[in-house]
Amino acid sequence: MTQVWNEEGNLVPVTVIDVNTCTVVGKRTPEKDQYSAVTLGFGELRETSLNKPQLGFFKKANVPLRRHLKEFRVSAEDAAGYNVGDAIKADLFTKGQLVDVTGITKGRGFQGVMKRWKFKGSQTATRGTHEYRRHPGAIGQRKTPGRVYPNKKLPGHYGVEQVTTQNLTVVDVDVEKGLLLVKGAVPGHNDGIIVVRPSIKVALREKHKAARAK
C-alpha cells in the first residue's frame, strides 16, 4: 500500500497491483468444450519448476511459462476478442471504475472469540471476576438436546479465507509500468495473488435499469 494525491488535493490511500506478466494462455470454445472461457496465467518461473505435462501445456500453446493459472467464464463474443499469447494490460480498467477484488486473507493462527468473532467478553472486569474476561460464556443447552449446535462461534483458526472486497475505486492506471492503483486495502499480504473484476453490483444495477427501460 501507498498513498497518492488526487486532483482535489486530497491524500488517498491506494493499493498498487502489478499486472505485468498477465497473459492469455488458453481458451475454451462452445464448439469444443461446450462453454466459453479464457485462461490467464500470471507470474514467471523456470522450466525446472514444472513437470512434463505442465511444461507440455505451455509449449503446445506456444506461450511463456506462468506460475499461476486462472480460468474465467466469459461470453463467446468477449472470448473472440482475445487470442492465446495476448498480454492483459492495465488499460483493461479505466480510472474511476468500480471493481471487486478477491484474495486470500492473512493467516492469524489460533484466536479466541473476541478477536475472531468480535465478542465483547462474557463478564466485565470487576471485583470477583477471575481470568474469565475473554471467555465466550455458556455454549450448551439444557438436558435436551444436551449438545453444542454445529457452526457455533468458538475459538479456532482465523484467516486464510477467500474474501472479496466490493466496490473499490480505480484511482489511476499506469499502462507503461503495468500498474493498477485501487483505493483502499485488498485481501491478503504483500506480493499476494488477487483477482480483479468489474463490480458485480454495478453490472446488476445497469441490467435492472435496462429492464425497466424496456
Side-chain angles (χ1 to χ4, degrees):
M1 291 194 69
T2 183
Q3 51 192 8
V4 296
W5 298 93
N6 59 10
E7 292 80 0
E8 290 78 18
N10 298 322
L11 198 60
V12 180
V14 297
T15 300
V16 182
I17 302 173
D18 182 8
V19 298
N20 274 307
T21 59
C22 193
T23 309
V24 178
V25 298
K27 292 179 62 175
R28 303 288 186 180
T29 59
E31 296 78 16
K32 183 178 179 181
D33 306 290
Q34 309 303 320
Y35 70 98
S36 178
V38 294
T39 304
L40 302 184
F42 181 82
E44 298 177 344
L45 79 167
R46 299 176 297 178
E47 290 189 8
T48 55
S49 300
L50 299 175
N51 56 33
K52 288 186 178 181
Q54 293 171 337
L55 190 60
F57 168 80
F58 290 104
K59 288 187 175 181
K60 181 179 180 180
N62 194 22
V63 294
L65 305 182
R66 290 294 179 255
R67 183 178 298 275
H68 305 280
L69 299 179
K70 178 72 174 179
E71 187 176 277
F72 294 90
R73 291 286 189 103
V74 296
S75 63
E77 294 77 11
D78 293 337
Y82 298 98
N83 296 318
V84 176
D86 290 350
I88 303 299
K89 300 182 179 180
D91 58 1
L92 186 65
F93 300 95
T94 59
K95 187 176 180 180
Q97 181 181 358
L98 295 180
V99 295
D100 297 338
V101 181
T102 303
I104 303 298
T105 60
K106 296 179 181 179
R108 294 173 173 83
F110 190 95
Q111 298 295 336
V113 293
M114 296 187 73
K115 184 170 183 178
R116 189 185 184 196
W117 302 111
K118 305 299 184 293
F119 282 19
K120 75 170 188 176
S122 60
Q123 297 185 22
T124 58
T126 56
R127 180 168 57 89
T129 302
H130 296 286
E131 301 175 355
Y132 208 79
R133 289 178 285 275
R134 299 182 66 88
H135 282 232
I139 62 172
Q141 292 78 40
R142 297 187 179 184
K143 185 176 181 180
T144 303
R147 64 187 178 91
V148 178
Y149 287 133
N151 302 320
K152 178 70 176 176
K153 293 181 178 179
L154 293 173
H157 187 268
Y158 181 36
V160 196
E161 297 176 333
Q162 180 174 296
V163 173
T164 299
T165 303
Q166 295 184 325
N167 293 340
L168 297 179
T169 305
V170 177
V171 177
D172 197 6
V173 177
D174 193 332
V175 180
E176 294 182 359
K177 296 182 179 179
L179 301 178
L180 191 68
L181 274 63
V182 177
K183 182 179 180 181
V186 301
H189 54 79
N190 292 340
D191 298 327
I193 303 299
I194 58 175
V195 176
V196 184
R197 297 184 177 89
S199 174
I200 184 64
K201 290 184 177 178
V202 172
L204 291 175
R205 193 180 303 123
E206 293 177 353
K207 182 179 180 180
H208 292 328
K209 286 183 179 179
R212 288 196 297 268
K214 293 180 181 179

